[in-house]
Amino acid sequence: MDCSSRFVVQLFEERYGSACEPRVFRAPGRVNLIGEHTDYNLGFVMPMALDLACVTATAPAADGCLRVYSKNVEESREWPVAGIRLAKPARDWGDYAMGVARELVLAGYEVEPSNLLVYSTVPVGSGLSSSAAIEVSVALALLGGRPIEPLELARLCRRAENDFVGMPCGIMDQYISVFGREGAAVKIDCRSLEHQVTSLPPEAEFVAVNTMVKHELGGSAYRNRVAECAAAVASMRERYPRIGSLRDVSSEMLAEFEAVMDSVSMRRARHVVSEDERVEAFAAASRTGDLERMGALLVASHRSLQQDYEVSCQELDFLVDTALQIPGVYGARMTGGGFGGCTVIMVQPDSAIQFQAALSHAYQGRFDLTPEMYPCRPSPGAGEITAC
Ligand code: GLA
């Protein structure tokens, strides 16, 4: 049961009429607790799915077209289903929908003419994975209840983003949107594509705090980091031919390259290798309820992203540094790709309200922007929902 379903059905009927009762599918956004820029290096990540989600309503269409209306942008896109295989990206939000439609067709699933309405509560550009939420909910809507292996669904949506949207992202966002768990985080091994559901201590809450900025640099810097990691791997393979990705590199191995590897490659690799270690340590500390250790690992992750990986920005740094001064805060870091978007802050539940007011006041004073805050409630992964 989900009340967003009734709202979306209503919107659907206003748009397309009520002749045919739509089916409704939901896919969540996520907050990544730790393990940043490790997924495309085949390492570890530990996100949780959020109650912020994209909801897609769908019913058959009679005119041979796939039509998608976004309530958020109040725009519609349509394509004849016969042309899906050869579709080209338009470089706008519609590419997420068409990308998954095309991947479904390429994977042998027939896409029927249909009308879709999408409505998302995941803030765009916030680092909370609004794109995976739309991809996964649209894919489920286009499948219309036909079975698909969950891992196949996550991979297919990632291919849509890599091959059609043109963003060389890892698997984390699509994976957690599919495999999210109510009340828990999920530690994902991005090489084996297996996961462990990881409990979180009840004495801590996580709040995502939005800088409300998204610097243009984000997309190109992400591509550069992917390339820089590949270059670091290539240089290490001369000595260790069995290294396939930074996942295969330990801190000890990396230390051997200190004198020979260029400084940029060394710093990028050091972030990824140390971040993988932090994910393991964070998951262990979470299971035993070691709050201080968890907080310290979050801060170490941020410093590494700021100094070695260079994907932070002054707004993210300000939120992290200011949060760490506020009583009741265990730790804080940027979350997602970086260059804006959200921080994730771990705080004592009793202090959460007071902390939000103090942080908001300080950020407004510095940047003249009101940071949105989203309490992170670990939520289930994607699926069909029924109206309440
Ligand atoms: C974006 C990408 C993910 C991941 C993160 C950084 O969210 O979509 O695959 O690489 O950045 O951890």
Side-chain angles (χ1 to χ4, degrees):
M1 300 261 270
D2 190 310
C3 293
S4 54
S5 170
R6 194 201 313 212
F7 174 62
V8 169
V9 168
Q10 218 167 21
L11 293 174
F12 185 93
E13 289 176 350
E14 281 163 22
R15 176 101 202 150
Y16 297 116
S18 54
C20 197
E21 170 89 3
R23 295 178 72 168
V24 183
F25 299 85
R26 164 195 170 277
R30 60 101 188 98
V31 65
N32 188 22
L33 298 182
I34 196 159
E36 217 65 83
H37 289 277
T38 46
D39 61 351
Y40 54 83
N41 290 300
L42 307 187
F44 296 99
V45 293
M46 191 168 145
M48 61 159 97
L50 295 175
D51 58 357
L52 301 169
C54 181
V55 177
T56 300
T58 179
D63 59 358
C65 282
L66 169 61
R67 189 171 295 102
V68 185
Y69 176 73
S70 162
K71 175 63 188 164
N72 299 84
V73 285
E74 302 199 323
E75 282 178 9
S76 187
R77 296 281 179 277
E78 68 177 66
W79 309 266
V81 290
I84 289 176
R85 186 181 285 272
L86 298 174
K88 294 276 173 288
R91 307 271 166 245
D92 64 19
W93 66 270
D95 288 351
Y96 297 110
M98 176 41 69
V100 290
R102 180 173 158 273
E103 285 305 327
L104 283 167
V105 169
L106 294 176
Y109 296 92
E110 202 167 322
V111 170
E112 306 287 347
S114 34
N115 293 324
L116 269 59
L117 183 140
V118 300
Y119 171 66
S120 183
T121 53
V122 189
V124 172
S126 63
L128 300 181
S129 186
S130 58
S131 42
I134 184 170
E135 286 156 7
V136 174
S137 74
V138 166
L140 286 175
L142 294 176
L143 285 162
R146 278 174 288 171
I148 184 166
E149 282 295 321
L151 187 55
E152 167 67 1
L153 173 62
R155 293 172 113 152
L156 188 144
C157 291
R158 180 195 176 188
R159 287 202 300 275
E161 181 120 8
N162 288 168
D163 300 348
F164 196 74
V165 177
M167 177 70 185
C169 66
I171 188 108
M172 166 167 68
D173 302 350
Q174 294 79 11
Y175 193 109
I176 188 65
S177 189
V178 172
F179 287 95
R181 236 359 132 77
E182 187 158 16
V186 180
K187 192 185 106 192
I188 305 164
D189 179 335
C190 298
R191 184 167 64 189
S192 71
L193 298 180
E194 287 164 352
H195 66 260
Q196 277 170 349
V197 174
T198 308
S199 60
L200 294 164
E203 305 85 7
E205 267 177 23
F206 292 91
V207 182
V209 181
N210 197 341
T211 59
M212 313 304 285
V213 299
K214 187 76 206 163
H215 297 297
E216 273 311 308
L217 195 59
S220 57
Y222 191 95
R223 286 184 182 80
N224 285 342
R225 295 299 176 273
V226 173
E228 287 163 353
C229 289
V233 168
S235 72
M236 284 186 274
R237 280 170 72 111
E238 287 165 20
R239 187 175 306 175
Y240 290 107
R242 304 242 301 262
I243 294 175
S245 68
L246 288 176
R247 162 64 180 273
D248 301 322
V249 179
S250 65
S251 312
E252 294 73 38
M253 283 161 82
L254 194 59
E256 291 177 31
F257 292 90
E258 197 80 53
V260 286
M261 197 152 51
D262 70 280
S263 138
V264 170
S265 298
M266 179 47 91
R267 285 184 297 124
R268 304 303 187 240
R270 189 165 59 204
H271 165 70
V272 175
V273 171
S274 64
E275 185 77 349
D276 275 338
E277 292 169 358
R278 280 187 288 271
V279 178
E280 295 284 14
F282 187 85
S286 184
R287 278 191 287 266
T288 58
D290 187 343
L291 306 170
E292 301 298 331
R293 175 94 176 115
M294 290 171 77
L297 288 161
L298 294 178
V299 178
S301 168
H302 185 77
R303 298 298 172 223
S304 178
L305 288 157
Q306 180 184 12
Q307 290 153 13
D308 275 348
Y309 217 64
E310 297 179 284
V311 289
S312 189
C313 61
Q314 57 167 348
E315 293 87 351
L316 287 165
D317 294 339
F318 181 88
L319 282 178
V320 168
D321 293 336
T322 309
L324 294 176
Q325 312 287 314
I326 300 175
V329 170
Y330 292 111
R333 58 180 286 275
M334 54 156 277
T335 186
F339 298 101
C342 281
T343 52
V344 60
I345 297 176
M346 180 180 164
V347 60
Q348 275 170 7
D350 292 350
S351 318
I353 302 287
Q354 218 181 330
F355 136 81
Q356 291 188 20
L359 190 56
S360 182
H361 180 77
Y363 193 73
Q364 268 168 357
R366 172 72 175 81
F367 293 104
D368 205 15
L369 285 169
T370 306
E372 287 178 8
M373 306 206 179
Y374 322 99
C376 301
R377 291 182 207 93
S379 301
E384 183 162 14
I385 53 176
T386 49
C388 45

